[in-house]
Amino acid sequence: SDAGVGKRETEVRETIESLVRLLGEKRVNVAEVWSCYDKLKIRRMLLYLPYEVWAQVLKTCQWAASSKSRPGEKGKSKKKEQLFPIRESRVSEFSKDFSEKHSLFWTRSISKRRALMVLGDMHRVSYGNALETDDDTAPDGYTGAVSAKSLALPWKPTTVHYNIVLDVICRDQSSQVGELAEVHKRMRSYGVREDTVTFNTLLNGCRMLRAWDYFGEIETHMVRRSEWGVTRMDATTWGTLLQGYIECRDWVSVDRCIDHVKSASEQWHATAQPQKGAAALGRESDAGQAFAPTTQLWATLVNAYAMRDMVDQMIDARKTMGRLGIRLNAHVFGPIFAALHRMRKLLTDRQCDAWPAVVLALDEFSAMRASEIAPNPVILTNILLTIGLGLGPGQRRAGIADARMSQKLAQTNEETARELEGLVNKARDPDAYAALLNVGAKTRNYSEIRALWKTLVLETRLSDRDALPVLTSRTLAAYMNALISCRAYEEAIAAFYDHIPSQPQPLAGAMARSARVAPALPRLEVVGLPVYEAATHAFARAGRHRMCPLLLRTMVSHGVPPSALFLRYSLLPPDSSAATRNHAAHYTRSWTLPLSTARDLWSTVIAARRDAWMNERRDSRPVIVNDIATQLIRVAAYARNVEFGEEVFDALAREAQHYGIGHGEENRRRRDALPDHMQCAPNVRTYTSMITLYANNADLGSVSRLWARMLQEGVEPNLHTYTSLIVCLHKVSLRKRWRKSREHAELRELDPAHSGNGLDDLLAPTSQDKMLARIEDWVVNWSSRAPPDHAQPDKEQQQKGAAPGIDVPFSTLLLRYHAAYIRDLKSNGAFIGRAHADKVANEYNLVRAMRICQLVENSGIRPDQRFYAAVADLFDACGDNTSAELVRQHIESM
């Protein structure tokens, strides 16, 4: 009836007006927005929506996906306690003040699905109107050719709508790069033309999703369109390219982008001089590839130099910014001072003069002051660590003798320390507290660390509940690390128990402390990963390694996945200083983690990693890496548990496969994107540990298979690898000779008249002895030909598989092998009644042993007590008791 139609039209009009009103409000009620939208969609009235509303609905999804604060958390820090890297598919976040009840059911994945639904609705509305005119129909999933009338409809999505949808997809970490490619392909098939924002969004999405292959394809396509004059590459484009190639460690592409940014900025500066006014800026499009440089772009450029410790180029880039008139900020100086701090630390570790780094830091500090830039706590901390700490007398050269430079150094040091303390007193900034605690960890000033923490605890007690919290996971972890640097491990453990949330089932050791803890002591609401890492560091150094598996299970039960740093701390040996000698007294000098503790740790770690492998969830960094796997395999080798060692090695290979990292050329980019300490492709150290594991069991077959696999993957063995191989060959050879001796003894028991005739193979060297001799000759010949200063490669060269030179452990092992061989020959020769037959063999082994001693002396290597003990054992085996006694007297005098 006419009344029903009028009522329906009134309801539709009111629903559309309500939707427009809701989208225009400052506080957006998402539930009401989508309720109105779904009501219109069910009644098939989306055709009557104003064109501007479609973009506003899509922007609602974009706001929800790009938000960084949650509702109902007023007064709290934007840097919330993160149990693990935020998984947006499980965390509800909004940029506007949405109601808390609705936020519990909204995720970034839902924002992505809603955005794709709205985009499809726009196409369906356009098709429906066009196809009704053509007396035709089309299904919802229609992707065929589009009619000309449909392209002319006002409801057709434009570049703006597609850009919003692409941005929403990029912000969901559960997205796949195929979704980006599909939407981009659909956009081009509908005749929607891409603009610069489209390509910038695609590049940023590939960077966030770490899809580097598609990242390169988008750059190639955009460069081609820029050469044709279709699309312009602006500062945001080049900044995204720079940041992407920095993250994937493609330094060749980084240098190429830097060269283009510099030339384009210089060209823009020459074209748009200040005296030419706005008219010159208007001709920017006629300046070829020139574009207006931004501070963010050049800050990324400076960071690219800083990450590679290219100090001269980094400072030149900062000076170029001043010459081009680009405004400087703290993001420019932050990487500079961090690089100077690393430079200072490297020079100090190498016992070189660190004064050049101090001078550069002073100059950059003056430049920052001249630019009127307020430094943040991180910059102030790096300045203090560069110019104010550890400048001992050995580092002071003639340049610092100048009174003005000394005064400037002292003044800068005092000024930065005062500003850092001022940030604590004024702003209630937890980062400032953490920075001061980090400085205290470097200076190891226990009294200042304790005083600063008491101030933080007192301020937390007296602060309002809605105020910005200063007791965070970062500040607590910084305090615990500062105590650890002072070797106050028990106090660090006590701080952990005092400030973690009250547990229904407290950790072991916390029960006894609960009665002594004051009830008003502030506690964390959520414990972050840095606190767990600092706690396991303290437990390990205090010799309480059995607490590490319990701590790991507690942390995983609270949703915090294990990290590589946590495992590294768990494998640290106990501190043998006077403060902790009582806890470490039951450990031997060559300490190793107990197998039961290692297996307990490993069971929790492998369960978490298998879940990640099954769900194909890639965290930011691998967890099972080479150095951790190497130490666990060494624990298995010490306990002679081959099963546990093989399980660790297989898990390391599975982790490398999960992240697409291997030794092949096709995986080079992914492998280079990770630093050395996060590599999970098995390296020479891991293979050496596995060979040691098999060598302890004299399993030559497994060693052969592993050696072939190592060479097939392109991993070159080093000296430690050959040492483990010699151990295996020696054990197998000893077992063979022992079996032959037993066989001969059994024959003599059966036939007493049996003689040694025909048993020459009992004294003959085995195949393992021959292989061992070839390895020894190769290493000795290489070491004798090498110059004295290159006879022993450094640790880095050996890990990369450099040609091995002689060293003390290797030479000690060879001496013990020759001594054991001579002793076996003597015992077997006397056993079969042919003692004269071993004379030539004894002389041969003795000559080879003396060659090893001569090579060690000529190489300039300083032998240790174990080497001299092996020499004494060699003389004992040869029957020269006088020489053996002289060597032992020399050992006692060392």
Side-chain angles (χ1 to χ4, degrees):
S1 63
D2 295 339
V5 173
K7 182 178 180 181
R8 182 181 178 184
E9 291 179 352
T10 302
E11 291 180 357
V12 170
R13 188 183 308 108
E14 291 178 352
T15 304
I16 294 176
E17 292 176 356
S18 177
L19 179 61
V20 173
R21 177 180 53 80
L22 289 171
L23 292 173
E25 291 180 352
K26 184 177 181 181
R27 292 176 175 267
V28 180
N29 191 328
V30 180
E32 292 295 334
V33 168
W34 291 114
S35 176
C36 296
Y37 182 87
D38 292 340
K39 186 183 299 184
L40 292 173
K41 182 177 180 179
I42 292 173
R43 296 187 178 186
R44 300 185 179 183
M45 293 298 171
L46 294 177
L47 181 66
Y48 299 100
L49 277 179
Y51 182 73
E52 296 80 6
V53 173
W54 292 100
Q56 293 180 12
V57 172
L58 286 174
K59 286 181 179 180
T60 302
C61 302
Q62 186 182 26
W63 291 333
S66 62
S67 158
K68 295 188 178 178
S69 63
R70 298 187 62 179
E73 294 187 355
K74 294 183 180 181
K76 294 188 178 181
S77 173
K78 293 183 179 180
K79 299 179 180 179
K80 301 181 297 298
E81 303 296 327
Q82 296 182 3
L83 293 176
F84 49 92
I86 296 178
R87 298 171 186 168
E88 284 75 3
S89 60
R90 296 177 56 189
V91 179
S92 172
E93 296 182 346
F94 297 92
S95 60
K96 292 193 174 183
D97 293 328
F98 299 136
S99 63
E100 185 174 359
K101 183 178 76 172
H102 300 141
S103 70
L104 297 176
F105 308 101
W106 192 271
T107 64
R108 293 189 179 182
S109 296
I110 294 178
S111 298
K112 179 181 67 176
R113 292 195 293 268
R114 279 286 184 175
L116 292 172
M117 182 192 72
V118 172
L119 187 65
D121 291 341
M122 293 186 70
H123 280 292
R124 279 188 286 272
V125 169
S126 300
Y127 292 147
N129 191 70
L131 294 173
E132 284 176 5
T133 305
D134 296 336
D135 295 328
D136 200 355
T137 58
D140 290 343
Y142 177 76
T143 58
V146 184
S147 63
K149 291 184 179 181
S150 173
L151 295 177
L153 288 175
W155 299 276
K156 171 182 162 303
T158 61
T159 306
V160 176
H161 301 95
Y162 272 100
N163 290 345
I164 296 174
V165 175
L166 289 172
D167 183 67
V168 172
I169 295 175
C170 295
R171 296 182 183 278
D172 182 13
Q173 291 185 356
S174 64
S175 300
Q176 301 292 332
V177 66
E179 298 177 354
L180 279 178
E182 181 65 26
V183 174
H184 186 208
K185 179 181 178 182
R186 186 176 182 182
M187 174 182 181
R188 300 181 67 184
S189 66
Y190 284 122
V192 182
R193 181 176 177 181
E194 306 103 320
D195 59 1
T196 303
V197 178
T198 305
F199 286 106
N200 291 347
T201 306
L202 287 172
L203 288 174
N204 192 49
C206 294
R207 182 187 65 83
M208 297 173 65
L209 300 176
R210 309 188 71 80
W212 304 121
D213 295 335
Y214 194 57
F215 187 85
E217 294 178 7
I218 294 297
E219 183 202 3
T220 303
H221 185 59
M222 193 172 186
V223 169
R224 189 183 301 114
R225 290 174 63 92
S226 178
E227 293 174 353
W228 295 343
V230 179
T231 306
R232 184 175 182 79
M233 301 178 69
D234 57 4
T236 305
T237 306
W238 288 104
T240 308
L241 288 172
L242 263 178
Q243 187 63 33
Y245 286 126
I246 289 173
E247 292 179 4
C248 70
R249 298 296 193 274
D250 188 355
W251 302 118
V252 176
S253 300
V254 168
D255 292 334
R256 173 174 53 81
C257 293
I258 287 176
D259 293 338
H260 184 89
V261 169
K262 287 184 175 180
S263 61
S265 300
E266 294 285 355
Q267 188 177 359
W268 172 85
H269 182 69
T271 305
Q273 293 295 334
Q275 59 268 21
K276 294 183 180 180
L281 295 176
R283 294 195 302 271
E284 182 185 342
S285 59
D286 301 331
Q289 297 294 329
F291 53 82
T294 61
T295 303
Q296 184 177 2
L297 171 62
W298 276 81
T300 307
L301 188 148
V302 171
N303 186 38
Y305 284 134
M307 290 186 65
R308 292 179 284 176
D309 294 331
M310 303 171 66
V311 178
D312 295 336
Q313 295 86 340
M314 173 183 67
I315 295 178
D316 289 341
R318 195 268 304 164
K319 294 179 180 178
T320 303
M321 291 181 66
R323 182 172 56 81
L324 297 178
I326 305 174
R327 187 176 63 86
L328 301 173
N329 59 12
H331 297 289
V332 177
F333 285 96
I336 292 177
F337 286 110
L340 292 177
H341 176 214
R342 291 193 298 269
M343 175 183 175
R344 162 66 185 278
K345 188 176 183 299
L346 180 64
L347 293 174
T348 304
D349 293 342
R350 293 181 178 178
Q351 296 182 353
C352 300
D353 185 16
W355 181 242
V358 176
V359 173
L360 291 175
L362 290 173
D363 295 339
E364 293 303 306
F365 182 76
S366 301
M368 185 178 66
R369 285 300 186 204
S371 302
E372 299 181 353
I373 296 175
N376 55 37
V378 177
I379 292 179
L380 292 174
T381 303
N382 284 322
I383 294 174
L384 282 175
L385 296 177
T386 305
I387 68 177
L389 302 179
L391 194 64
Q395 305 293 335
R396 298 173 183 259
R397 287 196 168 186
I400 201 172
D402 184 50
R404 290 177 298 177
M405 291 300 295
S406 301
Q407 183 179 2
K408 182 178 180 181
L409 180 63
Q411 181 181 358
T412 305
N413 189 11
E414 182 181 356
E415 185 177 351
T416 52
R418 186 170 58 251
E419 288 194 12
L420 195 54
E421 294 176 357
L423 289 176
V424 172
N425 297 329
K426 295 179 182 179
R428 289 179 48 86
D429 190 356
D431 294 339
Y433 276 106
L436 279 176
L437 289 169
N438 290 332
V439 173
K442 296 294 182 180
T443 57
R444 298 181 180 179
N445 193 329
Y446 177 78
S447 58
E448 290 186 1
I449 294 171
R450 290 288 300 164
L452 182 62
W453 186 252
K454 289 180 180 179
T455 304
L456 184 145
V457 171
L458 180 61
E459 187 174 353
T460 304
R461 287 177 176 176
L462 299 178
S463 61
D464 297 332
R465 180 170 297 181
D466 295 335
L468 183 70
V470 292
L471 177 60
T472 62
S473 290
R474 183 176 180 182
T475 54
L476 180 57
Y479 175 60
M480 294 172 65
N481 288 325
L483 292 176
I484 292 171
S485 66
C486 299
R487 294 184 173 180
Y489 306 120
E490 295 298 334
E491 291 192 27
I493 295 173
F496 171 71
Y497 284 134
D498 290 344
H499 297 286
I500 61 174
S502 300
Q503 304 288 337
Q505 296 179 353
L507 293 172
M511 188 75 72
R513 294 191 49 83
S514 59
R516 302 195 302 267
V517 173
L521 198 64
R523 294 180 178 271
L524 291 174
E525 295 182 2
V526 179
V527 182
L529 178 61
V531 177
Y532 286 114
E533 292 173 345
T536 191
H537 190 188
F539 280 124
R541 298 299 282 169
R544 298 164 62 179
H545 290 80
R546 294 192 179 276
M547 285 298 301
C548 297
L550 178 61
L551 192 65
L552 180 60
R553 288 195 296 270
T554 303
M555 141 181 166
V556 171
S557 65
H558 286 80
V560 185
S563 66
L565 186 59
F566 184 95
L567 296 179
R568 285 194 185 95
Y569 286 152
S570 302
L571 297 172
L572 286 176
D575 192 353
S576 58
S577 61
T580 58
R581 190 168 298 169
N582 294 331
H583 295 282
H586 59 283
Y587 292 111
T588 60
R589 182 175 58 84
S590 56
W591 179 86
T592 183
L593 187 71
L595 179 64
S596 59
T597 306
R599 293 188 70 93
D600 203 0
L601 272 171
W602 180 252
S603 62
T604 307
V605 172
I606 195 63
R609 296 313 299 161
R610 282 172 180 166
D611 179 65
W613 299 338
M614 185 180 302
N615 298 326
E616 296 185 355
R617 186 177 65 249
R618 291 177 176 83
D619 300 328
S620 58
R621 293 292 178 88
V623 176
I624 305 174
V625 294
N626 279 318
D627 59 332
I628 294 172
T630 299
Q631 294 187 55
L632 290 173
I633 293 172
R634 287 175 181 172
V635 172
Y638 184 81
R640 299 179 184 272
N641 192 320
V642 178
E643 180 184 359
F644 178 55
E646 290 178 342
E647 181 182 356
V648 174
F649 187 78
D650 294 341
L652 179 66
R654 181 64 181 86
E655 186 85 341
Q657 179 184 358
H658 178 66
Y659 284 91
I661 300 172
H663 294 282
E665 186 63 27
E666 65 277 3
N667 299 323
R668 181 184 61 84
R669 177 177 291 184
R670 295 190 185 95
R671 186 173 65 252
D672 295 343
L674 294 174
D676 293 338
H677 66 279
M678 298 302 295
Q679 292 292 337
C680 52
N683 59 5
V684 64
R685 294 183 61 193
T686 312
Y687 278 107
T688 301
S689 301
M690 285 298 298
I691 292 174
T692 304
L693 173 67
Y694 292 133
N696 289 347
N697 292 321
D699 189 356
L700 191 58
S702 299
V703 170
S704 302
R705 290 191 295 271
L706 191 69
W707 194 278
R709 176 179 175 180
M710 178 178 66
L711 297 180
Q712 183 180 3
E713 293 185 356
V715 180
E716 295 293 335
N718 59 12
L719 185 64
H720 305 292
T721 314
Y722 286 107
T723 303
S724 300
L725 179 61
I726 287 177
V727 170
C728 183
L729 294 174
H730 186 198
K731 288 187 176 183
V732 174
S733 178
L734 286 176
R735 292 187 179 186
K736 281 189 174 181
R737 287 198 293 269
W738 180 82
R739 291 194 196 99
K740 292 179 181 179
S741 300
R742 294 300 302 170
E743 290 176 1
H744 180 71
E746 292 174 358
L747 290 175
R748 293 195 64 176
E749 289 178 359
L750 296 176
D751 184 9
H754 180 75
S755 64
N757 297 328
L759 296 177
D760 292 338
D761 58 338
L762 184 61
L763 300 177
T766 63
S767 58
Q768 286 74 29
D769 293 325
K770 296 177 182 179
M771 184 182 298
L772 195 149
R774 289 196 298 269
I775 295 174
E776 177 186 349
D777 292 338
W778 176 67
V779 175
V780 170
N781 292 334
W782 187 93
S783 301
S784 60
R785 291 195 305 268
D789 55 343
H790 294 87
Q792 185 179 9
D794 57 13
K795 185 176 180 180
E796 182 178 358
Q797 291 177 347
Q798 289 186 9
Q799 290 181 3
K800 291 182 179 179
I806 198 72
D807 67 349
V808 173
F810 187 79
S811 57
T812 303
L813 177 64
L814 289 178
L815 290 178
R816 292 197 177 278
Y817 162 74
H818 288 300
Y821 192 79
I822 292 173
R823 189 176 288 109
D824 287 345
L825 287 177
K826 280 191 173 185
S827 61
N828 291 333
F831 182 71
I832 64 177
R834 297 179 55 184
H836 64 281
D838 64 343
K839 181 178 180 181
V840 177
N842 286 347
E843 292 179 354
Y844 171 75
N845 283 275
L846 185 59
V847 169
R848 294 177 71 90
M850 291 298 102
R851 183 181 62 169
I852 295 293
C853 297
Q854 187 67 32
L855 183 61
V856 169
E857 182 180 358
N858 296 336
S859 300
I861 304 174
R862 184 178 180 182
D864 57 4
Q865 293 184 0
R866 289 177 294 178
F867 177 84
Y868 287 115
V871 174
D873 184 58
L874 177 68
F875 286 137
D876 284 335
C878 296
D880 190 354
N881 298 327
T882 304
S883 300
E885 186 63 26
L886 291 175
V887 174
R888 290 190 175 93
Q889 291 178 4
H890 177 71
I891 295 175
E892 294 177 357
S893 64
M894 292 179 63

